[in-house]
Amino acid sequence: MSLYEKIKDKIYVHLEEAANLARVKGQLAYDELPPFVLEEPRERQLGDLATNLAMILTKQCRKAPRDIANIILENMELTDTWIAKGEIAGPGFINFHLDSSWLTGVIPEVLLLEDKYGSVDIGKGQKLQVEFVSANPTGLLHMGNARGAALGDSLAAILTMAGYDVSREFYINDAGNQIHNFALSLEARYLQQLGHDVPFPEAGYHGEDLIKTVRMIIEKDGDKYISMEEELRRESLVRQALEEKLQDIKSTLEDFGIFYDEWFSEQTLHDSGYVRDTTSELEKKGYIYEKEGALWLKSTLLGDEKDEVLIRSNGVPTYFAADIAYHRHKFHRGFHKVINIWGADHHGHVARMKGSMQALGYNPDSLQIILMQLVRLIQGGEVVKMSKRSGQYITLRELMDEVGKDAARFYFILRDPDSPVEFDLDLAKSQSADNPVYYVQYAHARLCSILRQATEQGYDTHINPDKKQLSLLSSAEERELLKKIADLPGEIATSAKMAEPHRLARYVLDLAALFHSFYNSQRVLIEDNDLRIARLGLVKSTKQVLANILGILGVSAPERM
RNA sequence: GCGCUCGUAGCUCAGCUGGAUAGAGCGUCUGACUACGAAUCAGAAGGCCAGGGGUUCGAAUCCCUUCGAGCGUACCA
C-alpha cells in the first residue's frame, strides 16, 4: 500500500470513529453509517482531501449538512493523521489540508521501487486471461483490430501491475464457414491468376492481399493444384494461405508492440471432440432440444432473446457452439477470470455467452466482455465503409506507416471503449506533430535532458534526498506534481478494477502537464545543494513514473526527440 | 418493430459507482526564449451537458419519455 493510501485509510477510519462517537454522545442519530467518499476535491485550493460524509447523513439525522459536518469535526481525532487543518465548505463538505511533509515521502518510494512503483496487489496472483483482436485469419488487420490490440494489450499490462497472473491470448478462427468461403475465394484467385476465366464467389473475400497470397503459392508450386481433385485443392490452398496470413498477423502485431502468450486454434477444439463434448454436457443439463433436424440451445432460459442453433441440420456445429466450447476450455484451464475484447457488433452475443457459462456451472461474472465501438474512418471528409468482404479498408500496417506506432496506440487508448472513434486519416497525418503522445514523450525527453546536463555539470545524479532536503519542495508546482505521482497506485487500482486503460492515458497527460508547468517555473540545476538534490529527486521520480506508464501503454519513452 | 450502445465547447474527446464554479487537446486571441529542450509555459474567449418530465439536500451522472446516430435481431462469424 502506498503512503497516500495509508494516509487516506487512516483518515477514513478516523471519520468513521468521529461519527460513531457523536452518535454515542447523542449528537447524531443514524442507524448505519452509509459508505462515503474521501477523495481529492476538484479545486486544489480547497484542500488535499474532502469527504461528503456529512451530506450523506442528512437524511438519517435530519439535520443540515453543515451542522453535521461541524459535529463530526468536533469529535474527530486529528493526531497522527497528517491533517493540518479541517474545515467545512460549500454545501457541507469537510475538507482536510494535510501537513506539507507527507507528500515528499513519495520520492524515496519511487526511487526505491523503480519500475515496480505503481504496483498494487488486488489480483493476489490469480490467473487471468485477456483475449483480444482474434481477427479472422482471412485477411489483413484493420483499424478496428488496431483499437482492440491497443486496448487489450494495455489492459493486460495494467492487470499485471495490479497483481494478476495475466495471459494474453489470440483465438484463431481457422474453422467453419468463413474458412470455406476463404477456400473458394482462394481457388478462384488461383485459377484466375493462371489464366482461367472463372467467376469470383459472391460472398468471397475481395481483398487484394488474397491475390498476393495466391501468387506466392504459384511461385512456389506452380500450377500443380489445377489437376488436383477439388476438395484436396482447396484444402492445400487454404492450409498454406492460413499459415501465411497468420504469420503476417503475428508479425504486424509484434511491430505494434504486442506479444501473445497463446495462439489458440478453433480447429483443435473440433479435432479433439471438445465441441461435441461441450454440446453433450449442455444436453445433460437439459439445455438442448432438437427441431427441424438441428440441435438448439435453450438460450432463452439463460437470458437470451431467442434460442440458438448449436449443430446445424447438416451436422456441422455453428460458430456459437465452438465459442461455448472455447470459453469452457478457458475456465477448464484454470483461469479465475476471463476478459474478452469484442467489437460492438458482437454485443448480441454477450448475454448468451455468459448464460452458457452459467449453464455449464461457471460463474458468469468471471467472464467479462468489454465491447468497443467500431472505428469509423474518415478520409477526404467522407466516411470510408470498412469491410473485409469488399476489400476496402486501411490496414494496421498502413496505419503504422503513416501515423506511427506510438501515436496510433496512444490515439486509441486515450478513448473510452464505449466511445465510437472517428479516425480522420488526413488529420492524423497532417497533425501528427500535435498528437498528444508527443507531449508526453517530450516531457520524458526533457527529464532525460536535465539529468544529462546535471552529469555534464558535474552533479551527482545518483542521489537519495533526505527528509530535510525534500522538505524544500514547497512550491505549488512541486506539490501538485508530487501529488500526482502519489496518485499512481490508486490510479492503477481503479483502472484495473474498472478495466479502463484510458484512465492511465489521461493520467499520464496530466502528469506531463504538471511537469512542464513545474519546469517553466523553477530551475533544477541550481547552486543551492539541498534544493538541487531535492529537485533532482523529483525529476528522477517523474521520469520513472512517465516511463512506467508509457510502458503499460505500449508507447516508447525516448531519451531524445 | 424489439434489443444494446451513444448524443457534453467550432472540432476530437474526458467527466457518468450522484457532489462544490462541467474539464483537456486542437482551432481562435494576448503574452513569455542572452535560464536545465518554445514539440513548452502563463492567460482570454468559447456550454440550455440533444429536448422534456421525475427521484433528492444536490443530477452531465440515476429513472421515465421524445428526438437523432451506430450496431444487433441468420441452421453468418
Side-chain angles (χ1 to χ4, degrees), chain A residues 62-285:
Chain A
R62 292 190 196 164
K63 271 184 193 292
R66 292 186 66 107
D67 294 340
I68 298 173
N70 234 319
I71 293 168
I72 290 171
L73 215 42
E74 276 169 16
N75 286 288
M76 189 168 173
E77 178 63 55
L78 294 184
T79 55
D80 198 28
T81 57
W82 299 84
I83 294 173
K85 190 174 62 164
E87 60 188 8
I88 299 158
F93 285 99
I94 303 173
N95 294 339
F96 298 109
H97 296 264
L98 301 184
D99 189 285
S100 59
S101 57
W102 78 271
L103 253 184
T104 51
V106 76
I107 289 182
E109 201 178 332
V110 176
L111 296 182
L112 177 72
L113 295 174
E114 296 183 323
D115 61 342
K116 297 284 183 300
Y117 177 72
S119 302
V120 288
D121 190 23
I122 58 178
K124 311 228 179 324
Q126 283 190 354
K127 277 186 71 178
L128 180 153
Q129 182 205 69
V130 183
E131 182 218 322
F132 58 105
V133 183
S134 299
N136 281 335
T138 51
L140 303 168
L141 295 169
H142 55 73
M143 298 281 285
N145 297 136
R147 184 177 194 181
L151 186 62
D153 188 55
S154 294
L155 180 58
I158 288 168
L159 291 164
T160 303
M161 272 296 249
Y164 288 94
D165 177 11
V166 179
S167 177
R168 291 167 171 82
E169 182 152 318
F170 187 112
Y171 182 49
I172 309 164
N173 292 119
D174 53 0
N177 237 329
Q178 89 275 4
I179 293 300
H180 182 63
N181 262 337
F182 188 50
L184 295 179
S185 308
L186 280 167
E187 182 181 43
R189 287 292 184 226
Y190 180 76
L191 295 172
Q192 284 172 355
Q193 286 297 308
L194 290 170
H196 291 69
D197 184 23
V198 294
F200 194 75
E202 203 170 312
Y205 294 94
H206 288 79
E208 291 287 317
D209 57 297
L210 243 167
I211 297 175
K212 226 182 290 170
T213 303
V214 159
R215 280 198 186 131
M216 277 171 58
I217 294 174
I218 291 173
E219 212 166 284
K220 190 159 61 81
D221 296 335
D223 62 357
K224 79 176 198 191
Y225 300 109
I226 287 190
S227 52
M228 232 177 228
E229 193 260 325
E230 204 173 60
E231 276 304 304
L232 207 58
R233 171 167 68 212
R234 287 175 191 163
E235 200 194 303
S236 308
L237 290 173
V238 152
R239 209 183 45 243
Q240 296 182 66
L242 275 183
E243 195 179 321
E244 193 253 334
K245 285 282 163 220
L246 214 54
Q247 201 47 53
D248 184 64
I249 286 172
K250 195 169 185 174
S251 67
T252 302
L253 285 170
E254 285 180 356
D255 290 343
F256 204 45
I258 290 161
F259 300 84
Y260 284 93
D261 298 293
E262 184 77 35
W263 294 76
F264 196 97
S265 154
E266 176 186 352
Q267 188 61 51
T268 62
L269 292 171
H270 294 283
D271 295 346
S272 67
Y274 201 75
V275 175
R276 244 175 300 124
D277 185 72
T278 301
T279 308
S280 49
E281 188 66 25
L282 284 165
E283 191 161 20
K284 264 185 234 158
K285 305 207 180 231

Side-chain angles (χ1 to χ4, degrees), chain A residues 143 252 255-256 394-408 425 428-429 432 438:
Chain A
M143 298 281 285
T252 302
D255 290 343
F256 204 45
I394 301 290
T395 65
L396 172 54
R397 180 65 71 187
E398 286 162 344
L399 179 69
M400 276 194 279
D401 289 345
E402 295 187 18
V403 183
K405 177 198 89 161
D406 290 341
L425 247 199
K429 272 188 280 182
S432 64
Y438 298 112

Side-chain angles (χ1 to χ4, degrees), chain A residues 4 38 84 89 161 165 190 249 267 311-312 366 419 460 462:
Chain A
Y4 185 52
L38 179 67
M161 272 296 249
D165 177 11
Y190 180 76
I249 286 172
Q267 188 61 51
I311 310 285
R312 299 185 184 90
S366 300
S419 169
D460 186 8
H462 301 281

Side-chain angles (χ1 to χ4, degrees), chain A residues 3 82 99-112 463-483 485 518 522 524 528-542:
Chain A
L3 187 64
W82 299 84
D99 189 285
S100 59
S101 57
W102 78 271
L103 253 184
T104 51
V106 76
I107 289 182
E109 201 178 332
V110 176
L111 296 182
L112 177 72
I463 38 109
N464 217 338
D466 61 34
K467 248 188 152 133
K468 188 178 116 268
Q469 292 166 331
L470 289 173
S471 71
L472 299 171
L473 299 175
S474 57
S475 71
E477 289 83 4
E478 287 162 335
R479 290 176 50 77
E480 291 311 312
L481 189 49
L482 283 164
K483 271 190 205 167
I485 292 172
F518 158 72
Q522 276 127 71
V524 175
D528 182 328
N529 236 9
D530 286 343
L531 188 54
R532 186 189 63 248
I533 287 172
R535 285 186 177 157
L536 276 173
L538 180 59
V539 162
K540 286 184 76 172
S541 303
T542 308

